[in-house]
Amino acid sequence: MFSVGVDTKGSGQIFMEWNRSHRYWSSGDWNGQIFSLIPEMKWNYVYKYSYVSNENESYFTYSLNNYSYLSRYMIGIHGQLQQLLWMEGPWRWLPFWSEPKDQAGVYGLCGVFGVFHVSSSYCECLKGFKPLVQNDWSSGCVRKSPLQCQNMSSVGKEDGLDCMENCSCMAYAYNNNNGCSLWEGDLINLQQSGAADGRTAAEIYIRLAASEPELQIGNSSTQTAMVLYI
């Protein structure tokens, strides 16, 4: 059973869950006008959208610019959230937008620290990681080597990353639109780069253990270009 909810932690997202436990799709962050992963919302000649999130409440609303139209939301049998518009002439409900559009839109398809390659439709682990369970990407990936900062009794070469003083900092990225972003804990919903549907690729820097070969040859961090949605 699929259900739809609103993120109450301030990230400004609508999400869809399977059995109220497994996140299946996310709308992306609210930028003040649209959700980042629903580019069709830019076509605001039909709808007006509003998102409110504060310490007391979080909710999303929409209204029609032309009240002669009819509109509704539904979750289809294939797990797509759709906004439908009743059109005169064909006299039927037509989709205004549908998400996820394809396999690439499924949230966390390759599990934690896994990357989905959009062009060839396969999963792999980030550099320095390996599958937790072979042939089961829902279990994600784990580190090949533990982080130096997690072993308080050891000394030696430091792990590679700019935010080294914070051991829970796992990655950072920078782009001209959002500036610098930091991620703590598990990384999920990573995709190999390729701009599509308004999505912008960014270079993300992943924290690696000091023992990883990439650091042994002198690099301070691993740089991998990918589309990142968390």
Side-chain angles (χ1 to χ4, degrees):
M1 180 182 68
F2 289 101
S3 60
V4 177
V6 176
D7 196 317
T8 59
K9 297 181 181 179
S11 61
Q13 297 186 2
I14 293 175
F15 60 85
M16 185 161 54
E17 290 184 330
W18 171 251
N19 284 343
R20 298 187 180 274
S21 59
H22 177 71
R23 184 165 293 197
Y24 180 76
W25 170 80
S26 172
S27 66
D29 292 342
W30 176 257
N31 65 12
Q33 295 180 317
I34 68 170
F35 291 106
S36 61
L37 301 187
I38 312 178
E40 295 88 349
M41 292 177 70
K42 294 178 181 177
W43 306 334
N44 56 6
Y45 58 90
V46 178
Y47 298 101
K48 294 179 181 178
Y49 299 102
S50 175
Y51 178 79
V52 174
S53 181
N54 53 50
E55 60 183 7
N56 298 317
E57 57 190 355
S58 295
Y59 61 90
F60 167 72
T61 64
Y62 75 95
S63 60
L64 290 162
N65 288 322
N66 187 336
Y67 289 100
S68 64
Y69 293 148
L70 296 176
S71 178
R72 66 188 175 109
Y73 278 89
M74 65 168 288
I75 299 177
I77 59 174
H78 299 295
Q80 277 191 322
L81 177 63
Q82 298 181 317
Q83 185 170 22
L84 303 174
L85 190 66
W86 179 261
M87 299 296 293
E88 298 181 0
W91 301 105
R92 59 190 177 94
W93 292 102
L94 297 177
F96 188 69
W97 59 261
S98 301
E99 293 289 346
K101 293 182 177 65
D102 49 35
Q103 190 180 28
V106 176
Y107 185 87
L109 184 65
C110 300
V112 298
F113 299 113
V115 182
F116 180 70
H117 292 259
V118 177
S119 60
S120 46
S121 299
Y122 74 95
C123 293
E124 72 171 354
C125 294
L126 290 169
K127 292 180 180 179
F129 293 78
K130 63 182 179 180
L132 177 62
V133 179
Q134 291 293 332
N135 301 319
D136 179 11
W137 285 105
S138 64
S139 300
C141 306
V142 294
R143 290 189 180 276
K144 295 178 181 177
S145 305
L147 293 175
Q148 180 78 6
C149 66
Q150 293 174 340
N151 188 351
M152 301 302 295
S153 63
S154 66
V155 294
K157 188 176 179 181
E158 291 183 331
D159 307 315
L161 199 68
D162 281 10
C163 53
M164 289 185 294
E165 68 281 358
N166 182 358
C167 194
S168 63
C169 179
M170 292 293 107
Y172 75 92
Y174 179 83
N175 64 51
N176 293 329
N177 294 326
N178 300 322
C180 188
S181 300
L182 299 176
W183 287 271
E184 296 185 358
D186 294 343
L187 296 179
I188 193 169
N189 209 32
L190 302 174
Q191 294 182 6
Q192 185 61 35
S193 63
D197 294 335
R199 306 176 184 185
T200 303
E203 289 185 344
I204 179 173
Y205 294 79
I206 310 296
R207 187 175 206 138
L208 287 181
S211 58
E212 284 299 312
E214 288 85 354
L215 295 184
Q216 296 298 321
I217 62 175
N219 293 334
S220 61
S221 60
T222 295
Q223 176 176 312
T224 305
M226 64 184 65
V227 180
L228 172 63
Y229 305 116
I230 296 183

PDB file of all heavy atoms in Angstrom, residues 4 23-25 47 86 89 128 144 153 155 162 167 177 185:
ATOM      1  N   VAL A   4       1.056   8.981   0.956  1.00  0.00           N
ATOM      2  CA  VAL A   4       1.758  10.236   0.688  1.00  0.00           C
ATOM      3  C   VAL A   4       1.795  11.062   1.959  1.00  0.00           C
ATOM      4  O   VAL A   4       0.811  11.128   2.709  1.00  0.00           O
ATOM      5  CB  VAL A   4       1.063  11.030  -0.442  1.00  0.00           C
ATOM      6  CG1 VAL A   4       1.749  12.367  -0.666  1.00  0.00           C
ATOM      7  CG2 VAL A   4       1.050  10.218  -1.732  1.00  0.00           C
ATOM      8  N   ARG A  23      10.536   4.583   2.138  1.00  0.00           N
ATOM      9  CA  ARG A  23      10.368   5.730   1.246  1.00  0.00           C
ATOM     10  C   ARG A  23      10.596   5.308  -0.192  1.00  0.00           C
ATOM     11  O   ARG A  23      11.629   4.753  -0.541  1.00  0.00           O
ATOM     12  CB  ARG A  23      11.324   6.860   1.631  1.00  0.00           C
ATOM     13  CG  ARG A  23      11.099   8.119   0.783  1.00  0.00           C
ATOM     14  CD  ARG A  23      11.755   9.343   1.372  1.00  0.00           C
ATOM     15  NE  ARG A  23      11.125   9.745   2.627  1.00  0.00           N
ATOM     16  CZ  ARG A  23      11.282  10.961   3.171  1.00  0.00           C
ATOM     17  NH1 ARG A  23      12.037  11.855   2.573  1.00  0.00           N
ATOM     18  NH2 ARG A  23      10.713  11.249   4.315  1.00  0.00           N
ATOM     19  N   TYR A  24       9.630   5.593  -1.042  1.00  0.00           N
ATOM     20  CA  TYR A  24       9.631   5.136  -2.426  1.00  0.00           C
ATOM     21  C   TYR A  24       9.932   6.259  -3.408  1.00  0.00           C
ATOM     22  O   TYR A  24      10.518   6.039  -4.463  1.00  0.00           O
ATOM     23  CB  TYR A  24       8.266   4.517  -2.735  1.00  0.00           C
ATOM     24  CG  TYR A  24       8.096   3.999  -4.143  1.00  0.00           C
ATOM     25  CD1 TYR A  24       8.688   2.799  -4.538  1.00  0.00           C
ATOM     26  CD2 TYR A  24       7.338   4.705  -5.078  1.00  0.00           C
ATOM     27  CE1 TYR A  24       8.532   2.328  -5.829  1.00  0.00           C
ATOM     28  CE2 TYR A  24       7.174   4.237  -6.373  1.00  0.00           C
ATOM     29  CZ  TYR A  24       7.769   3.044  -6.740  1.00  0.00           C
ATOM     30  OH  TYR A  24       7.608   2.577  -8.016  1.00  0.00           O
ATOM     31  N   TRP A  25       9.527   7.482  -3.063  1.00  0.00           N
ATOM     32  CA  TRP A  25       9.739   8.634  -3.947  1.00  0.00           C
ATOM     33  C   TRP A  25       9.738   9.911  -3.116  1.00  0.00           C
ATOM     34  O   TRP A  25       9.069   9.989  -2.080  1.00  0.00           O
ATOM     35  CB  TRP A  25       8.636   8.698  -5.007  1.00  0.00           C
ATOM     36  CG  TRP A  25       8.641   9.971  -5.804  1.00  0.00           C
ATOM     37  CD1 TRP A  25       9.448  10.291  -6.849  1.00  0.00           C
ATOM     38  CD2 TRP A  25       7.802  11.124  -5.588  1.00  0.00           C
ATOM     39  NE1 TRP A  25       9.170  11.555  -7.298  1.00  0.00           N
ATOM     40  CE2 TRP A  25       8.163  12.086  -6.545  1.00  0.00           C
ATOM     41  CE3 TRP A  25       6.785  11.426  -4.683  1.00  0.00           C
ATOM     42  CZ2 TRP A  25       7.538  13.329  -6.629  1.00  0.00           C
ATOM     43  CZ3 TRP A  25       6.170  12.658  -4.751  1.00  0.00           C
ATOM     44  CH2 TRP A  25       6.535  13.598  -5.726  1.00  0.00           C
ATOM     45  N   TYR A  47      -2.197  26.048 -12.202  1.00  0.00           N
ATOM     46  CA  TYR A  47      -2.270  25.886 -10.750  1.00  0.00           C
ATOM     47  C   TYR A  47      -1.506  26.976 -10.008  1.00  0.00           C
ATOM     48  O   TYR A  47      -0.558  27.564 -10.529  1.00  0.00           O
ATOM     49  CB  TYR A  47      -1.669  24.530 -10.334  1.00  0.00           C
ATOM     50  CG  TYR A  47      -2.391  23.335 -10.882  1.00  0.00           C
ATOM     51  CD1 TYR A  47      -1.887  22.654 -11.991  1.00  0.00           C
ATOM     52  CD2 TYR A  47      -3.564  22.861 -10.294  1.00  0.00           C
ATOM     53  CE1 TYR A  47      -2.532  21.537 -12.489  1.00  0.00           C
ATOM     54  CE2 TYR A  47      -4.206  21.743 -10.800  1.00  0.00           C
ATOM     55  CZ  TYR A  47      -3.697  21.094 -11.892  1.00  0.00           C
ATOM     56  OH  TYR A  47      -4.338  19.990 -12.383  1.00  0.00           O
ATOM     57  N   TRP A  86      -9.111  17.452 -15.697  1.00  0.00           N
ATOM     58  CA  TRP A  86     -10.225  17.057 -16.556  1.00  0.00           C
ATOM     59  C   TRP A  86     -10.304  17.999 -17.750  1.00  0.00           C
ATOM     60  O   TRP A  86     -10.385  19.206 -17.594  1.00  0.00           O
ATOM     61  CB  TRP A  86     -11.538  17.097 -15.793  1.00  0.00           C
ATOM     62  CG  TRP A  86     -12.738  16.730 -16.615  1.00  0.00           C
ATOM     63  CD1 TRP A  86     -13.623  17.574 -17.205  1.00  0.00           C
ATOM     64  CD2 TRP A  86     -13.146  15.401 -16.958  1.00  0.00           C
ATOM     65  NE1 TRP A  86     -14.584  16.870 -17.882  1.00  0.00           N
ATOM     66  CE2 TRP A  86     -14.314  15.533 -17.757  1.00  0.00           C
ATOM     67  CE3 TRP A  86     -12.665  14.136 -16.676  1.00  0.00           C
ATOM     68  CZ2 TRP A  86     -14.992  14.431 -18.261  1.00  0.00           C
ATOM     69  CZ3 TRP A  86     -13.341  13.031 -17.181  1.00  0.00           C
ATOM     70  CH2 TRP A  86     -14.490  13.196 -17.967  1.00  0.00           C
ATOM     71  N   GLY A  89     -13.460  18.234 -24.416  1.00  0.00           N
ATOM     72  CA  GLY A  89     -13.007  17.840 -25.748  1.00  0.00           C
ATOM     73  C   GLY A  89     -12.713  16.361 -25.736  1.00  0.00           C
ATOM     74  O   GLY A  89     -13.525  15.566 -26.238  1.00  0.00           O
ATOM     75  N   GLY A 128      35.438   2.944  -2.345  1.00  0.00           N
ATOM     76  CA  GLY A 128      35.705   2.714  -0.930  1.00  0.00           C
ATOM     77  C   GLY A 128      34.610   1.949  -0.220  1.00  0.00           C
ATOM     78  O   GLY A 128      34.705   1.728   0.990  1.00  0.00           O
ATOM     79  N   LYS A 144      34.643  -0.554   2.923  1.00  0.00           N
ATOM     80  CA  LYS A 144      35.638  -1.618   2.875  1.00  0.00           C
ATOM     81  C   LYS A 144      36.586  -1.523   4.067  1.00  0.00           C
ATOM     82  O   LYS A 144      37.059  -2.539   4.581  1.00  0.00           O
ATOM     83  CB  LYS A 144      36.439  -1.527   1.569  1.00  0.00           C
ATOM     84  CG  LYS A 144      35.627  -1.775   0.312  1.00  0.00           C
ATOM     85  CD  LYS A 144      36.509  -1.601  -0.923  1.00  0.00           C
ATOM     86  CE  LYS A 144      35.722  -1.825  -2.202  1.00  0.00           C
ATOM     87  NZ  LYS A 144      36.564  -1.594  -3.415  1.00  0.00           N
ATOM     88  N   SER A 153      41.357   5.130  19.702  1.00  0.00           N
ATOM     89  CA  SER A 153      42.603   4.679  20.306  1.00  0.00           C
ATOM     90  C   SER A 153      43.747   4.609  19.303  1.00  0.00           C
ATOM     91  O   SER A 153      44.882   4.313  19.673  1.00  0.00           O
ATOM     92  CB  SER A 153      42.410   3.296  20.947  1.00  0.00           C
ATOM     93  OG  SER A 153      42.068   2.341  19.946  1.00  0.00           O
ATOM     94  N   VAL A 155      46.236   5.956  16.018  1.00  0.00           N
ATOM     95  CA  VAL A 155      46.863   7.140  15.447  1.00  0.00           C
ATOM     96  C   VAL A 155      47.309   6.783  14.042  1.00  0.00           C
ATOM     97  O   VAL A 155      47.492   5.628  13.697  1.00  0.00           O
ATOM     98  CB  VAL A 155      48.076   7.600  16.282  1.00  0.00           C
ATOM     99  CG1 VAL A 155      47.640   8.085  17.640  1.00  0.00           C
ATOM    100  CG2 VAL A 155      49.100   6.474  16.398  1.00  0.00           C
ATOM    101  N   ASP A 162      37.282  17.582   3.646  1.00  0.00           N
ATOM    102  CA  ASP A 162      37.498  18.930   4.191  1.00  0.00           C
ATOM    103  C   ASP A 162      36.954  19.099   5.593  1.00  0.00           C
ATOM    104  O   ASP A 162      37.531  19.822   6.411  1.00  0.00           O
ATOM    105  CB  ASP A 162      36.864  19.954   3.271  1.00  0.00           C
ATOM    106  CG  ASP A 162      37.752  20.207   2.059  1.00  0.00           C
ATOM    107  OD1 ASP A 162      38.719  19.454   1.865  1.00  0.00           O
ATOM    108  OD2 ASP A 162      37.462  21.148   1.324  1.00  0.00           O
ATOM    109  N   CYS A 167      33.426  13.744  12.629  1.00  0.00           N
ATOM    110  CA  CYS A 167      33.512  12.369  12.143  1.00  0.00           C
ATOM    111  C   CYS A 167      32.214  11.908  11.483  1.00  0.00           C
ATOM    112  O   CYS A 167      32.216  10.970  10.680  1.00  0.00           O
ATOM    113  CB  CYS A 167      33.859  11.434  13.302  1.00  0.00           C
ATOM    114  SG  CYS A 167      34.381   9.773  12.781  1.00  0.00           S
ATOM    115  N   ASN A 177      24.165  27.427  -7.367  1.00  0.00           N
ATOM    116  CA  ASN A 177      22.787  27.714  -6.960  1.00  0.00           C
ATOM    117  C   ASN A 177      22.595  27.599  -5.456  1.00  0.00           C
ATOM    118  O   ASN A 177      21.962  28.456  -4.828  1.00  0.00           O
ATOM    119  CB  ASN A 177      21.817  26.773  -7.671  1.00  0.00           C
ATOM    120  CG  ASN A 177      21.781  26.997  -9.163  1.00  0.00           C
ATOM    121  OD1 ASN A 177      21.919  28.127  -9.632  1.00  0.00           O
ATOM    122  ND2 ASN A 177      21.617  25.936  -9.931  1.00  0.00           N
ATOM    123  N   GLY A 185      25.952  11.157   8.243  1.00  0.00           N
ATOM    124  CA  GLY A 185      25.319   9.842   8.260  1.00  0.00           C
ATOM    125  C   GLY A 185      25.296   9.206   6.883  1.00  0.00           C
ATOM    126  O   GLY A 185      26.088   9.542   6.004  1.00  0.00           O
TER     127      GLY A 185
END
